[in-house]
Amino acid sequence: MIELYKTNAEVIAAGDKYLYGNHVRMPLSIERGEGAYVFDKDGNKYLDFIGGIAVNGLGHCHPAIKKCLEERANTILHCSNYFYNEPAVQTAKLIVENSCFDKVLFANSGAESNEGQIKLARKYAKDHGHPERFVVITMKNSFHGRTLATCTATGQYGVHRYFEPLPTGFRYAEFNNLDSVKAQMDEYVCAILTEPVQGEGGVRPASKEFLQGLRELCDEKGILLMFDEVQVGSGRTGKLFAHQNYGVEPDTCSMAKALGSGVPIGAVCARGEAAKTLTPGTHGSTFAGGPLACALAMTTLDVMINEGVIENSRVMGEYFREQMHAVIEKNHPKAVKEIRGLGLIDGIELNQPSGQPVVDLCFKDSKVLINNTAGNVLRFVPPLIVGKEEIDIVIKAVDDAMTKLGW
Ligand SMILES: *Cc1c(COP(=O)(O)O)cnc(C)c1O
C-alpha cells in the first residue's frame, strides 16, 4: 500500500525530488476541487481563475460529469477504432449540429489536433492537383503545441530553440496584419493557420477584417483556412467556437482543452472538401475518440450548450471587463496598457515588464489563482460557470495586489 503524504509541503518536497523539472509550478498541491474553487491538502481554499489552463470549463466536480464518470466505470472505457462507440458519434453530432462543420476527427490533445490539421492541409493540396504545396503560414506569437511540427508552427523563437533542425514547411506572418500574410504567399503554400484569439500570445483577439481577409485570400488561392481553437473553442468566448463571433467560417478547426472537462481529448472539425481528405490509412490514433473521453465531451458540450453555460461565459466576460476597467481606471490607471478579451478569456496587458508579482500576491494574500502569459499579460480563464461574486473577488485581489506593489 502506498502511504500518502499528509501535507501540502510534503507533496511539494517529494514532487521536486521525483518529477522532471520541465514545468515551473506554484507552491500549491491541489487535492480536490468544487465549482470554481480548489483545495490543497492543508484545507486551504483557492478561487481558480486558471481552470487547468482553460480546461475546467464546467468547473470542478460538476454533477453531470460525476454521473458520466460513474456510468463509464460500469460500462466501457476503451474499445479501439475498429468499432463504433455511441459517445463519439453523439459528440461529433453535437459539434456538427452547432457549427459550420460536416465531420469530426478525434485526437488526444491540442497539439495532436493541430498535427491533424497540418497533415490534412498537405494531403488536401496533393488531392487537388497541387503536389508542390506544403507550406503552412502561421502567425508570430501564436501557440500551436509542443510536438515537433506544432512547435515549429508556433511563431515563437523561445518554443523552437534547442530543437533544430525543425521540420520544414512553416512561415510566419504578423497577426492582425493581412499584408504581412500576403507577403508570405506563393505557389508552395497549402494553408493558413491561426488562432482567432491568441491565448498564450497574450489574449489578443483577431480583428474581424483580418479573419475575413484570410478567408478571402484562401478562397482566391484555393488553400485551406485552419483555425486553432484549442483554447478558445468549447464555449470559452461566449459561442461554441470563437470564430462564430466573427461570422468567418474556416475549412478546419481544432479543439481540445475544455472539450473533455479534464480528460485528454482533441478534435479536428472539417467541412466541405476538407472533410473528405483523411482517408483510411492516412491518419489515426489508438486512444482518440474512445468512449471515456467522448462520453465526457458529449456531457460537457450538452451542459454547455443546453444549460446556458456558453451564454454565461458571454455575459460574465462582459461583466468582468466592465468592472475590471472601472477599478483599474480609478486606482491604477498608469499600471495598465489594455484590458481585452472575448467571453471568459480575458487579459490585462501591463505597463510593467512582468505580471508575476501580481500573480504571486493574488495567490499569497487573496488565495486567488491567475496566471501571467506573454511576459506581461495577466490572463483570466476561469470555469465558464462563474458568477459575479467570484469575478468581484478576483478584481479585488488584483486591485489589492497592484496597490501593495505601488502600481
Ligand atoms: C494549449 C494549446 C495548444 C496545445 O494543446 P496541448 O493539449 O497542450 O497539446 C495548442 N494550441 C493552443 C491555442 C493552445 O492554447
Side-chain angles (χ1 to χ4, degrees):
M1 269 286 277
I2 290 169
E3 201 181 314
L4 295 179
Y5 298 113
K6 294 198 175 51
T7 64
N8 191 48
E10 281 176 338
V11 178
I12 291 168
D16 289 342
K17 181 166 178 207
Y18 296 114
L19 294 176
Y20 205 103
N22 63 320
H23 289 287
V24 177
R25 297 172 203 273
M26 292 172 92
L28 172 64
S29 162
I30 293 178
E31 181 82 351
R32 66 183 185 89
E34 215 179 280
Y37 289 88
V38 293
F39 299 80
D40 70 7
K41 255 193 197 290
D42 304 339
N44 294 305
K45 179 180 176 183
Y46 292 85
L47 179 53
D48 181 11
F49 265 51
I50 299 176
I53 321 184
V55 167
N56 302 306
L58 298 184
H60 305 283
C61 288
H62 190 283
I65 296 295
K66 290 206 282 199
K67 181 160 164 279
C68 172
L69 279 168
E70 258 168 41
E71 264 170 35
R72 274 306 113 192
N74 292 305
T75 53
I76 193 164
L77 299 182
H78 179 76
C79 64
S80 92
N81 283 310
Y82 288 154
F83 307 99
Y84 292 81
N85 75 79
E86 181 162 3
V89 176
Q90 292 285 1
T91 304
K93 179 168 179 261
L94 263 171
I95 292 171
V96 166
E97 287 179 350
N98 287 280
S99 71
C100 64
F101 302 111
D102 299 316
K103 300 276 188 186
V104 179
L105 176 154
F106 289 107
N108 304 290
S109 68
E112 216 184 273
S113 304
N114 288 329
E115 287 267 352
Q117 295 201 98
I118 294 160
K119 283 178 69 179
L120 192 158
R122 287 190 175 183
K123 181 165 184 294
Y124 178 95
K126 294 184 175 56
D127 287 354
H128 290 80
H130 290 286
E132 74 285 4
R133 293 182 182 172
F134 67 99
V135 171
V136 177
I137 298 177
T138 68
M139 304 305 138
K140 291 177 186 168
N141 295 315
S142 58
F143 186 79
H144 299 298
R146 296 284 189 175
T147 63
L148 272 171
T150 60
C151 92
T152 308
T154 295
Q156 297 184 50
Y157 174 65
V159 176
H160 300 170
R161 195 177 174 195
Y162 307 120
F163 305 111
E164 299 86 355
L166 298 170
T168 50
F170 295 93
R171 289 182 200 160
Y172 314 100
E174 297 279 343
F175 187 64
N176 274 342
N177 181 340
L178 196 58
D179 288 337
S180 161
V181 178
K182 286 180 178 163
Q184 297 296 335
M185 277 299 312
D186 63 15
E187 67 271 32
Y188 300 111
V189 175
C190 68
I192 298 171
L193 170 65
T194 187
E195 299 154 270
V197 180
Q198 288 189 336
E200 304 301 306
V203 190
R204 292 176 195 280
S207 68
K208 189 166 181 166
E209 301 70 53
F210 181 62
L211 296 187
Q212 275 172 346
L214 292 182
R215 179 69 275 173
E216 283 161 21
L217 185 61
C218 289
D219 288 344
E220 186 192 314
K221 306 278 182 193
I223 62 171
L224 296 183
L225 179 60
M226 312 195 295
F227 286 162
D228 177 348
E229 295 214 19
V230 167
Q231 187 159 162
V232 298
S234 313
R236 176 65 46 190
T237 65
K239 303 267 188 198
L240 178 58
F241 288 96
H243 64 258
Q244 292 171 334
N245 291 287
Y246 293 88
V248 174
E249 296 179 345
D251 298 287
T252 68
C253 182
S254 57
M255 305 175 81
K257 291 198 162 87
L259 184 57
S261 283
V263 163
I265 182 170
V268 177
C269 311
R271 70 184 178 95
E273 282 295 301
K276 299 171 188 162
T277 301
L278 293 172
T279 46
T282 59
H283 193 61
S285 151
T286 303
F287 288 119
L292 171 65
C294 285
L296 285 160
M298 171 181 90
T299 306
T300 301
L301 292 178
D302 182 24
V303 173
M304 279 192 177
I305 294 167
N306 298 315
E307 294 182 25
V309 175
I310 296 179
E311 177 61 8
N312 187 66
S313 171
R314 188 183 67 76
V315 175
M316 286 304 135
E318 276 168 20
Y319 178 78
F320 178 94
R321 288 185 296 279
E322 237 169 63
Q323 298 295 309
M324 188 64 95
H325 210 273
V327 168
I328 295 290
E329 195 72 356
K330 182 160 162 269
N331 300 339
H332 316 283
K334 293 215 172 65
V336 170
K337 192 162 167 210
E338 192 179 30
I339 297 172
R340 55 183 178 246
L342 200 58
L344 282 174
I345 175 163
D346 293 289
I348 302 179
E349 185 175 351
L350 300 163
N351 282 321
Q352 297 281 345
S354 169
Q356 200 55 42
V358 178
V359 171
D360 292 341
L361 284 175
C362 284
F363 171 61
K364 281 195 202 108
D365 291 356
S366 308
K367 292 197 165 66
V368 163
L369 306 179
I370 61 171
N371 106 307
N372 179 52
T373 188
N376 65 342
V377 181
L378 300 173
R379 177 174 50 173
F380 306 83
V381 279
L384 308 182
I385 47 135
V386 293
K388 290 184 176 174
E389 190 188 326
E390 284 95 21
I391 289 172
D392 292 343
I393 293 172
V394 169
I395 291 173
K396 182 165 187 313
V398 171
D399 183 18
D400 288 351
M402 288 187 177
T403 302
K404 195 163 177 175
L405 290 163
W407 286 6

